[in-house]
Amino acid sequence: MNGTSILEISESALRRNLRFLKNLIGQDVKFCSVVKGNAYGHGFSTYIPLAEKCGVDFFAVYNAEEAQQVIRHRTRRSDLMIMGCIGDKLDWVIDNHVSFHVFDINLLEQAVETAVKLNTPARIHLELETGMNRLGLNKTALEEAAVILRSNSSHVIVEGVCTHYAGAESVQNYLRIQQQMQTFREHCEWLRQAGIEYKVRHAASSAAAIIYPESHMEMVRIGIAQYGFWPSEEIRMYYFLKHTDASANHRNDPLRRILRWKSYVMSIKEVEPGEFVGYGTSYLTTRRSRFAVVPVGYSHGFNRNLSNKGHVLINGRRAPVAGIVNMSMIMADVTDCPSVQVGDEVVLIGKQKRMEISVGAFSDLTRFLNYEVLVRLAPAIPRIVVP
Ligand SMILES: *Cc1c(COP(=O)(O)O)cnc(C)c1O
């Protein structure tokens, strides 16, 4: 193994997820793959070419640096959209025909100015404020934007109009999301009437795409689901209740986690009863014990909150994390699996034989979201594609 651990990315699981999602949204809706946060921890250099191979041709990132990474790793001219921060890279963005969200008038003015300077049209998505109160043009700003756009139509192409929902993954936000949808439709319609042409409207993330079909419009921005994770337990339950033909067990779960994180046993330590193990006094042996030392720690994304709580899989069995998670190592209690040897595979996330450690189990213990667990997987861990 090159390095102390490896992330395997499954091509067949990705194909399956994409098939499910494209089937869900239908042929007429564009699929935009959200790959911010190093492709949710899956790694730009591995994920971008793989996704392209599986048919994805449109990516969304958060900032200009991520856009540069995607361009470095793409294998064809997939389209690219920045949903957030451009910083001082507007020249680069426009020059490379990358489209971007425009969420305030200042950015729109800069876009016009830069497009004129470079003699290249800026490709923008007008982001509308519909109730999240984070980024976006409110009605007054939108009216101002319409004036600017009308007099600069050769410099600015409105590729899309978009908004973002304030928590579609939770049913408790139902009314707020409905209100946002309504406002979004009204403001899109107002823009048309004001003579502003645009190609697509997009608002739905994974959760909205799954539970609110009316939110699909012309494009959806799918992040977490393509990697095989449900945005929340609620969304998963909703899906299974709606599709009663599919009973809620993991064998017919339409989403497959595409990632598997594995390491190996670096050393074995035998310890007498009544001894403390590792840093401090948090773990005391009560019997003659055997521990496997695994060269993965919080610097790689194995959360410190899993100290004395988490599990790993060795030889198809769950072995509890013993003691404190170190920066680069953990110890797992393998007293009950005596056959464990140096060099044996250790699975931190994913399946081994018939056992599985899900990112969900990880996040339940740490009270971190799936999303957080994933993006903390260190970029330095090698990623490889497996069938
Ligand atoms: C992250 C993000 C998405 C994707 O969300 P998922 O829940 O991962 O599908 C969509 N739109 C915007 C603006 C985002 O920031």
Side-chain angles (χ1 to χ4, degrees), residues 23-295:
N23 198 34
L24 183 85
I25 62 175
Q27 283 184 346
D28 298 334
V29 177
K30 177 92 191 150
F31 181 91
C32 168
S33 161
V34 179
V35 293
K36 63 186 183 223
N38 200 24
Y40 288 48
H42 293 69
F44 287 129
S45 61
T46 310
Y47 192 74
I48 300 299
L50 180 64
E52 286 184 323
K53 189 176 165 207
C54 297
V56 172
D57 62 3
F58 195 147
F59 295 102
V61 293
Y62 174 73
N63 62 33
E65 287 72 19
E66 292 177 339
Q68 290 179 325
Q69 294 260 17
V70 171
I71 286 190
R72 190 168 314 138
H73 295 296
R74 72 182 173 185
T75 54
R76 47 186 163 105
R77 298 199 54 82
S78 289
D79 209 348
L80 184 55
M81 168 171 90
I82 298 174
M83 304 185 295
C85 187
I86 291 185
D88 59 4
K89 301 221 162 39
L90 194 53
D91 285 26
W92 178 86
V93 167
I94 293 178
D95 213 26
N96 284 276
H97 311 285
V98 173
S99 67
F100 53 99
H101 286 197
V102 164
F103 42 79
D104 62 31
I105 292 296
N106 188 23
L107 181 54
L108 182 58
E109 284 169 343
Q110 272 178 274
V112 171
E113 197 181 303
T114 310
V116 170
K117 181 181 80 184
L118 297 176
N119 195 23
T120 308
R123 302 173 63 217
I124 68 162
H125 298 257
L126 286 174
E127 181 169 359
L128 309 191
E129 176 56 67
T130 57
M132 181 162 182
N133 294 314
R134 184 176 68 178
L135 292 176
L137 302 156
N138 61 20
K139 191 64 190 302
T140 317
L142 194 57
E143 286 165 11
E144 207 178 322
V147 175
I148 297 172
L149 288 170
R150 266 196 299 266
S151 51
N152 290 283
S153 57
S154 57
H155 304 303
V156 180
I157 301 168
V158 185
E159 293 284 339
V161 183
C162 59
T163 194
H164 191 56
Y165 296 128
E169 52 283 330
S170 177
V171 178
Q172 75 183 25
N173 301 323
Y174 177 82
L175 285 176
R176 187 170 174 202
I177 307 289
Q178 293 299 316
Q179 187 57 252
Q180 283 191 271
M181 281 187 203
Q182 170 84 14
T183 307
F184 186 50
R185 280 182 194 283
E186 283 169 14
H187 289 188
C188 286
E189 191 44 41
W190 180 87
L191 267 173
R192 276 252 193 264
Q193 308 249 329
I196 306 300
E197 297 288 330
Y198 50 84
K199 295 177 190 161
V200 296
R201 296 167 301 167
H202 51 101
S205 60
S206 301
I210 295 167
I211 66 171
Y212 303 123
E214 69 275 25
S215 72
H216 294 172
M217 306 185 126
E218 289 79 45
M219 183 165 89
V220 293
R221 304 185 304 262
I222 304 286
I224 196 91
Q226 69 191 307
Y227 308 104
F229 299 95
W230 294 92
S232 65
E233 260 325 289
E234 276 173 54
I235 301 291
R236 176 203 188 84
M237 287 310 296
Y238 175 93
Y239 180 82
F240 280 113
L241 290 172
K242 267 265 184 200
H243 300 81
T244 43
D245 52 316
S247 62
N249 79 44
H250 78 272
R251 230 170 297 128
N252 40 33
D253 189 332
L255 294 177
R256 290 280 156 89
R257 270 56 70 199
I258 72 172
L259 166 146
R260 185 169 178 267
W261 188 16
K262 67 174 190 187
S263 181
Y264 64 98
V265 177
M266 168 189 167
S267 180
I268 301 251
K269 176 70 77 184
E270 309 220 341
V271 184
E272 295 299 322
E275 295 279 332
F276 293 120
V277 175
Y279 286 119
T281 54
S282 79
Y283 192 95
L284 179 66
T285 54
T286 55
R287 53 178 179 169
R288 195 178 153 76
S289 306
R290 269 180 107 225
F291 299 96
V293 182
V294 183

